[in-house]
């Protein structure tokens, strides 16, 4: 939402509501008493599936660490949750990796919907972005560039000459 605000762009439908609970495309709405919508708040945003995932995320990142719930009181602070599993406690790790590769390869081989370039798996967009940004640089809006210039001046650090909005 902060990036949309800086770029002067609206947020997608279903992301947030205003103080009265009405949908909004205004990325500044949180500063005006609005709230983020949970994942799956509408049919268009995956409804029941996203709703369940959103509740789980709110519990793990808000209620469990004692930061509150975005659902009934708004998050008091940013909460975090980390987990790690030992694959070999469940099954052979090499076999698991082979099954995961088979699954990912299968997903990527599926025919995408019309107008969609490819079926992606988690991490694919990020890997593409890393490659693109390594080649072309990181796109920044004008406000962010100005904030970085100000910070560089305050810290006495030279601003990279390649930095452009």
């Amino acid at each position: 939402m902060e990036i949309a605000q800086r770029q002067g762009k609206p947020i997608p439908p279903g992301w947030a509501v205003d103080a009265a609970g009405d949908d909004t495309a205004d990325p500044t709405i949180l500063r005006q008493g609005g709230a983020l919508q949970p994942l799956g708040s509408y049919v268009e945003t995956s409804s029941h599936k996203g709703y369940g995932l959103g509740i789980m995320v709110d519990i793990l990142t808000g209620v469990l660490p004692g930061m509150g719930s975005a659902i009934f009181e708004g998050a008091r602070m940013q909460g975090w949750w980390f987990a790690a599993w030992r694959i070999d406690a469940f099954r052979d790790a090499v076999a698991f990796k082979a099954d995961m590769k088979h699954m990912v390869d299968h997903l990527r081989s599926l025919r995408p919907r019309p107008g969609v370039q490819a079926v992606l798996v988690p991490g694919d967009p990020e890997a593409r972005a890393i490659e693109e940004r390594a080649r072309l640089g990181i796109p920044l809006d004008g406000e962010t560039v100005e904030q970085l210039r100000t910070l560089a001046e305050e810290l006495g650090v030279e601003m990279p000459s390649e930095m452009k909005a």
Side-chain angles (χ1 to χ4, degrees), residues 1-162:
M1 290 182 66
E2 184 179 326
I3 292 169
Q5 180 182 344
R6 279 193 227 138
Q7 294 177 349
K9 294 179 180 177
I11 56 173
W15 275 29
V17 292
D18 62 21
D22 297 319
D23 286 322
T24 182
D26 182 356
T28 67
I29 201 66
L30 298 181
R31 296 178 182 160
Q32 303 168 38
L36 289 174
Q37 287 279 64
L39 293 171
S41 51
Y42 302 114
V43 172
E44 298 82 9
T45 57
S46 298
S47 249
H48 64 285
K49 293 177 183 178
Y51 174 74
L53 178 59
I55 296 292
M56 183 182 79
V57 168
D58 192 48
I59 291 167
L60 295 174
T61 62
V63 179
L64 182 64
M67 297 298 152
S69 168
I71 294 170
F72 57 82
E73 60 190 33
R76 291 188 291 268
M77 296 176 63
Q78 180 70 44
W80 300 95
W81 179 73
F82 299 91
W85 290 276
R86 280 192 47 189
I87 301 303
D88 64 349
F90 294 88
R91 62 180 293 203
D92 177 70
V94 173
F96 170 79
K97 289 177 183 180
D99 284 350
M100 287 302 302
K101 182 178 181 342
H102 180 71
M103 175 191 225
V104 167
D105 289 346
H106 174 74
L107 290 169
R108 287 182 178 138
S109 75
L110 295 173
R111 182 173 42 96
R113 290 178 51 194
V116 175
Q117 206 170 35
V119 174
L120 305 177
V121 298
D124 284 350
E126 294 82 1
R128 288 180 182 173
I130 288 169
E131 183 277 322
E132 181 180 294
R133 288 185 171 107
R135 197 169 27 87
L136 303 173
I138 300 171
L140 297 172
D141 58 88
E143 183 178 332
T144 300
V145 171
E146 277 310 306
Q147 289 173 353
L148 291 171
R149 282 188 213 285
T150 301
L151 186 59
E153 286 177 20
E154 287 175 15
L155 298 173
V157 176
E158 187 175 335
M159 187 78 164
S161 59
E162 299 86 16

